Amino acid sequence: MEKEFFLEITESGEISEARTSEQESLIVSFDKRNEENSPASGFTSNLGTFTPSIKGEFNDTVLCALLNPLRYKLNDFGIKGKFKDVSPNYLPWFVNSFEYYSSHKYLEDFFEQKHKFGFLEFCQMSTVFSHLLVANNPKEIINYLDENNNIGMSFYLSFQRAYNLHGRLLADIKSEILEYVKLLRERNHIKPSRLEVQLDEMLNFITLDSSK
């Protein structure tokens, strides 16, 4: 949200925001609504759809970040280790991609007509992509080895800013996605789809470059 605040910096280096009464009211209202809304139940969209927060199969789970206005600590969610007492700006959360797909399935034909790739395939790619980007070792995620907090530690470390930096080429990411999808298909953990043949179009869609 663009706040357009003026910042005041003292000689000692302390920084404070000079908010107007209107800005203060808007921020209080925003934080209050975030506190009252319960992501545990689900979320609505501008289309009027509702996606329940149902923790389904891991292969249907998009890993993401959730704003933390109540300043929960990671140990409140059962996360152990040396970061358990950290209260980050964002918390580890999830979106059930199968429920999201089901809630918006009626738009499937329009989606493919507009983007030239399938809605189911995009949901599947987003799920796989999130697993690969937040994991220290993607193969441990594939094997569900999460007993020792091996999953997503780099993700936890980035909760102050809710994004990660990865020094991987797009071609390498594509190969990792295809390898992951192959394992999921071998285990019947992913619905039949055209993900592999549409992957180039989807990666081009989410990639920013100078031409965009």
Side-chain angles (χ1 to χ4, degrees):
M1 183 174 66
E2 180 57 54
K3 306 180 184 71
E4 296 184 355
F5 287 152
F6 289 101
L7 296 179
E8 296 178 347
I9 304 176
T10 67
E11 292 182 356
S12 62
E14 294 180 354
I15 300 175
S16 63
E17 296 174 343
R19 300 178 182 177
T20 66
S21 58
E22 180 182 15
Q23 290 168 336
E24 181 68 23
S25 175
L26 288 171
I27 290 174
V28 169
S29 174
F30 179 81
D31 289 343
K32 185 172 184 291
R33 279 178 282 136
N34 274 327
E35 292 175 7
E36 291 176 347
N37 290 336
S38 173
S41 61
F43 65 92
T44 57
S45 73
N46 292 336
L47 298 171
T49 59
F50 178 77
T51 301
S53 292
I54 299 174
K55 189 177 180 182
E57 296 295 329
F58 185 72
N59 46 278
D60 288 327
T61 301
V62 177
L63 304 174
C64 58
L66 176 73
L67 196 63
N68 183 22
L70 295 182
R71 311 310 305 174
Y72 289 112
K73 295 181 179 180
L74 292 179
N75 63 10
D76 293 326
F77 295 86
I79 296 173
K80 300 177 181 179
K82 62 181 178 180
F83 300 106
K84 63 184 176 120
D85 293 322
V86 172
S87 177
N89 292 329
Y90 297 85
L91 294 169
W93 197 245
F94 69 93
V95 174
N96 187 314
S97 60
F98 174 76
E99 294 293 337
Y100 185 84
Y101 170 74
S102 300
S103 298
H104 298 83
K105 193 176 186 299
Y106 71 98
L107 294 170
E108 194 166 31
D109 292 341
F110 175 79
F111 183 94
E112 183 159 2
Q113 182 180 1
K114 179 178 180 180
H115 297 294
K116 310 306 179 188
F117 49 81
F119 181 53
L120 172 62
E121 287 76 10
F122 188 73
C123 289
Q124 291 175 332
M125 189 272 294
S126 300
T127 304
V128 170
F129 208 5
S130 79
H131 292 183
L132 294 175
L133 290 181
V134 305
N136 287 334
N137 184 344
K139 292 183 178 179
E140 289 181 346
I141 274 193
I142 295 174
N143 293 314
Y144 311 111
L145 300 179
D146 59 351
E147 292 83 1
N148 297 315
N149 290 329
N150 290 322
I151 293 179
M153 185 55 69
S154 62
F155 188 52
Y156 299 153
L157 292 175
S158 300
F159 278 171
Q160 288 300 101
R161 57 183 188 266
Y163 67 84
N164 265 324
L165 299 176
H166 293 270
R168 287 137 93 175
L169 296 174
L170 190 60
D172 295 332
I173 293 175
K174 177 183 176 181
S175 297
E176 291 176 12
I177 291 175
L178 290 174
E179 179 185 359
Y180 196 166
V181 172
K182 180 182 178 181
L183 286 174
L184 292 176
R185 292 210 188 284
E186 290 173 353
R187 301 177 183 192
N188 294 318
H189 286 170
I190 190 171
K191 293 180 180 299
S193 68
R194 300 160 294 165
L195 188 155
E196 290 88 340
V197 298
Q198 295 184 352
L199 183 56
D200 285 331
E201 288 291 333
M202 291 188 287
L203 289 177
N204 180 62
F205 175 73
I206 66 172
T207 302
L208 291 178
D209 58 33
S210 58
S211 66
K212 299 177 183 178

